[in-house]
């Protein structure tokens, strides 16, 4: 069983000292990497910048990247060989249109940045997904959570989507705990209790492997 996991934020450079980023810590993706490895899988963990050390488990290979484009290139290189894809990264949807070679100097009272859309890693890889491959996405929502997550599941070709609501105390970015709801393609909704991310990852891996086996009774 080979598993590809994207994790952490992406940093999109503006100039040699500044970037656009987000508050993802990578904890959920790293916990999933550990849980898949503990379940016997070989894991490629493609991580944006985090403060976490590389996982020590010998079945986890970690590739460090900075930008969405780098994360896409690293993921695309291993996607065909992976049985399961888990998109846990908080990828920046836009990046600065140009990266200044020198530090941008302070001038006017306002500053307008031109941004261009980044590649959607999950959607782009989804277009070449084979029927026997299994894709898991994440959705971080603040309103109309179920409807938005269901829409993302369909648009991005996920088999399962793991939804966080920022309205839940202790869920999402920066916390050691998380509270998620998992949706599948048939419209089933599975609620998980608030748990620390390590325990939640073990439960999620058990669910993903059980669903994967349903696609592959012989594996
Ligand atoms: N994702 C990705 N590449 C992107 C953006 C998102 O691979 N450029 C993946 C995330 O890793 C996650 C899923 O897509 O598994 C949903 O991410 P999210 O940011 O919630 O979705 P968006 O399509 O960016 O929707 P929104 O309009 O809510 O930002």
């Amino acid at each position: 069983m080979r598993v590809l996991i994207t994790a952490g934020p992406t940093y999109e450079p503006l100039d040699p000292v500044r970037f656009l980023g987000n508050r993802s810590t990578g904890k959920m993706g790293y916990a999933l990497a550990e849980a898949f490895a503990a379940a016997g899988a070989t894991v490629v963990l493609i991580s944006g910048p985090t403060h976490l050390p590389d996982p020590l488990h010998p079945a986890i290979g970690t590739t460090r990247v900075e930008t969405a484009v780098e994360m896409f290139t690293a993921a695309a290189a291993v996607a065909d060989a992976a049985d399961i894809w888990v998109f846990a990264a908080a990828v920046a949807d836009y990046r600065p249109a140009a990266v200044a070679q020198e530090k941008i100097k302070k001038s006017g009272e306002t500053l307008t940045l031109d941004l261009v859309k980044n590649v959607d890693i999950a959607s782009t890889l989804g277009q070449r997904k084979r029927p026997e491959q299994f894709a898991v996405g994440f959705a971080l929502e603040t309103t109309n959570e179920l409807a938005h997550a269901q829409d993302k599941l369909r648009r991005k070709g996920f088999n399962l989507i793991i939804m966080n609501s920022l309205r839940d105390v202790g869920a999402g970015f920066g916390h050691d705990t998380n509270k998620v709801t998992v949706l599948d393609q048939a419209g089933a909704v599975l609620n998980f209790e608030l748990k620390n991310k390590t325990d939640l990852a073990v439960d999620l891996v058990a669910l993903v492997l059980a669903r994967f086996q349903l696609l592959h009774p012989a594996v």
Side-chain angles (χ1 to χ4, degrees), residues 4 46 70-81 121 124-125 128:
L4 157 66
I46 299 172
E70 289 168 8
M71 186 174 278
F72 173 72
T73 304
V78 295
D80 291 339
I121 299 168
T124 308
L125 292 180
R128 68 185 219 215

Side-chain angles (χ1 to χ4, degrees), residues 6 8 68 71 86-94 118-124 136-141 148 152 155-156 158 161-162:
T6 67
M71 186 174 278
V86 180
F87 299 103
V91 184
D93 290 327
Y94 294 87
N118 258 331
V119 57
D120 190 311
I121 299 168
S123 298
T124 308
V136 183
F138 276 76
L140 180 66
E141 306 293 345
H148 280 139
K152 259 172 217 177
R155 268 193 293 120
K156 302 201 184 199
F158 295 142
I161 193 158
I162 301 168

Side-chain angles (χ1 to χ4, degrees), residues 33-207:
E34 298 277 8
F36 271 112
T42 302
V43 180
V44 176
L45 175 65
I46 299 172
S47 176
T50 73
H51 294 295
L52 302 172
D54 286 1
L56 291 177
H57 196 295
I60 305 176
T62 306
T63 301
R64 299 270 176 179
V65 297
E66 279 227 333
T67 66
V69 169
E70 289 168 8
M71 186 174 278
F72 173 72
T73 304
V78 295
D80 291 339
D83 303 293
I84 298 176
W85 300 340
V86 180
F87 299 103
V91 184
D93 290 327
Y94 294 87
R95 68 172 183 276
V99 181
Q101 292 302 306
E102 306 297 337
K103 186 179 170 213
I104 299 170
K105 300 304 275 180
K106 178 166 57 194
S107 55
E109 287 306 309
T110 62
L111 174 69
T112 303
L113 295 175
D114 267 331
L115 304 179
V116 294
K117 204 174 234 173
N118 258 331
V119 57
D120 190 311
I121 299 168
S123 298
T124 308
L125 292 180
Q127 285 164 16
R128 68 185 219 215
K129 178 169 164 275
R130 301 187 306 273
E132 71 274 17
Q133 291 182 302
F134 194 93
V136 183
F138 276 76
L140 180 66
E141 306 293 345
T142 56
T143 55
N144 290 329
E145 290 93 335
L146 284 178
H148 280 139
Q150 240 137 23
D151 180 52
K152 259 172 217 177
L153 173 113
R154 226 180 25 251
R155 268 193 293 120
K156 302 201 184 199
F158 295 142
N159 297 81
L160 292 176
I161 193 158
I162 301 168
M163 189 197 83
N164 288 129
S165 171
L166 274 191
R167 288 197 279 190
D168 285 323
V169 176
F173 286 3
H175 296 281
D176 287 327
T177 55
N178 204 359
K179 182 168 181 297
V180 302
T181 299
V182 180
L183 313 182
D184 71 10
Q185 288 172 333
V189 176
L190 305 163
N191 287 300
F192 288 73
E193 295 302 310
L194 181 72
K195 293 182 186 209
N196 72 57
K197 287 180 175 174
T198 307
D199 293 340
L200 178 61
V202 173
D203 292 354
L204 291 173
V205 166
L207 172 67

